[in-house]
Amino acid sequence: MDHFLYRDGALWVEDVPLAEIAAQVGTPFYVYSTATLVRHYRLFDEALAWGPHLVCYAMKAASNQAILKTLAAEGAGMDVVSGGEYARARAAGVPGDRIVFSGVGKTRDEMRQALSGGVRQVNLESEPEMRALSQVAQAMGLEVPVTVRVNPDVDARTHAKIATGKSENKFGIPIARAREVYAEVAALPGLRVVGIDVHIGSQLTQLDPFEAAYAKVAELTGALRADGHQITRLDLGGGLGIPYTRSNETPPLPGDYGALVQRTVGHLGCEIEIEPGRLIVGNAGLLVARVIYVKEGEDRRFLILDAAMNDLIRPAMYDAHHEIVPVSDPAPGAELAPFDIVGPVCESGDTFARGRLMPPLAADDLVAFRSAGAYGAVMASEYNTRALVPEVLVKGDQFSVIRARPSFDDIINRDTIPEWL
Ligand code: LLP
């Protein structure tokens, strides 16, 4: 069910008209639908209901406290990749035993932080990192559950900047060396091997790369067990893609993915963890902006918005496509015309779409970027001293600002002037 629908000629989020939020909060802003977040989480949870499992939301996709609390209340665990994310998860009330610590370069400080607060497992990504964690755990008198992230050398067939499972990527250890590395981990004091971790990339729109990777993990499970390791948990990563256009994209659904997991690794009797981010929050969020000007160029027409690349970097960074729709439903039969849709930042890269067919729009009209919930607000910056874009959460007919727009004083006062200046 879609919780972003036109009613009475205007776009609503659940039971709140977007124009009402815009009037109260100002633009641009991100808005999320609680019902969509919860529905997406439950789809994954149900897809793995055939066995013991934990859905660990990859909070890098959107890490506002209110989003984390919404998912944690559903029973979600969290996948964190930094001390900051760990602190956010704990602040949102997520217990340590539901937090998985991933990431390619955890510092000793971050390890100490996670170990003292409690952690379900640490996913290790290199030999030096294993030795560091062993020393930290030993010094704290603890034994930490660990997995090793293996790099299965599988082509995820996604954008190069978000593929992680090829041998040329910095992630994990080559699967061919896994037995040797596990032997070393098992011998390190303070570490207790509990399973295997794999993550091959993000925005995967086909299941076969997952299938190839998980088949390799299944085979490795057998080999490691034969070597005497206790493999009781498989962390299968995230990465399931979402449709960014409404027309021809039909990425697999969580249910298909769950069946694939069961087919490939279900017979091993392991507890399954997955780390979805984008699919949970991507289509649960919009970025709403206002048209500042319609500018007639020499041979093109520009729609200049009050949102810019600092608010949503995905088009500039990954050539990502986001649907951009008018908040007021255009009159039936309204003629579409091509626009370059841009922000006010002083870079040509600050372009959201070129030649995009749009209905007639004028200054002050509102537009919404669809599928902007994942890797939107979290990747925003204050470039050009544009205030960090606020976030709003809707639940039924209520909405609340869950991160306020900072004032210019807030921004400026974060700088300090040295005494000697
Ligand atoms: N687990 C690990 C270890 C990851 O590195 C990631 C994403 C995930 C889980 C979640 O993947 P998801 O289910 O969201 O696809 N900024 C980029 C995406 C970067 C993904 C990084 N890792 C974008 O805007 O497309």
Side-chain angles (χ1 to χ4, degrees), residues 264-351:
T264 48
V265 299
H267 59 287
L268 299 167
C270 288
E271 182 179 19
I272 303 296
E273 290 167 353
I274 54 168
E275 304 166 351
R278 191 189 309 267
L279 201 143
I280 289 182
V281 74
N283 277 326
L286 303 175
L287 170 65
V288 180
R290 206 177 274 285
V291 177
I292 314 179
Y293 299 115
V294 180
K295 173 173 170 175
E296 301 292 341
E298 198 144 294
D299 56 356
R300 29 211 327 130
R301 186 182 289 164
F302 296 96
L303 208 55
I304 304 175
L305 304 183
D306 65 358
M309 64 190 291
N310 69 296
D311 304 305
L312 177 66
I313 192 86
R314 301 195 68 259
M317 190 147 172
Y318 313 108
D319 306 310
H321 177 99
H322 284 267
E323 272 204 7
I324 305 170
V325 295
V327 167
S328 290
D329 207 6
E335 214 166 293
L336 303 182
F339 285 95
D340 281 11
I341 305 180
V342 302
V345 160
C346 310
E347 298 201 25
S348 297
D350 186 21
T351 298

Side-chain angles (χ1 to χ4, degrees), residues 305 322-326 341 352-353 356-358 367-370:
L305 304 183
H322 284 267
E323 272 204 7
I324 305 170
V325 295
I341 305 180
F352 294 117
R356 182 72 63 88
L357 289 177
M358 298 292 289
V367 295
F369 290 71
R370 288 192 184 268

Side-chain angles (χ1 to χ4, degrees), residues 58 60-61 79 81 102 149 162 164 199 201-203 237-240 275-279 314 318 374-375 379:
K60 62 169 78 69
D79 170 58
V81 291
S102 302
R149 177 169 174 182
I162 51 175
T164 56
H199 170 80
S202 194
Q203 186 54 18
L240 201 56
E275 304 166 351
R278 191 189 309 267
L279 201 143
R314 301 195 68 259
Y318 313 108
Y375 307 108
M379 294 181 81

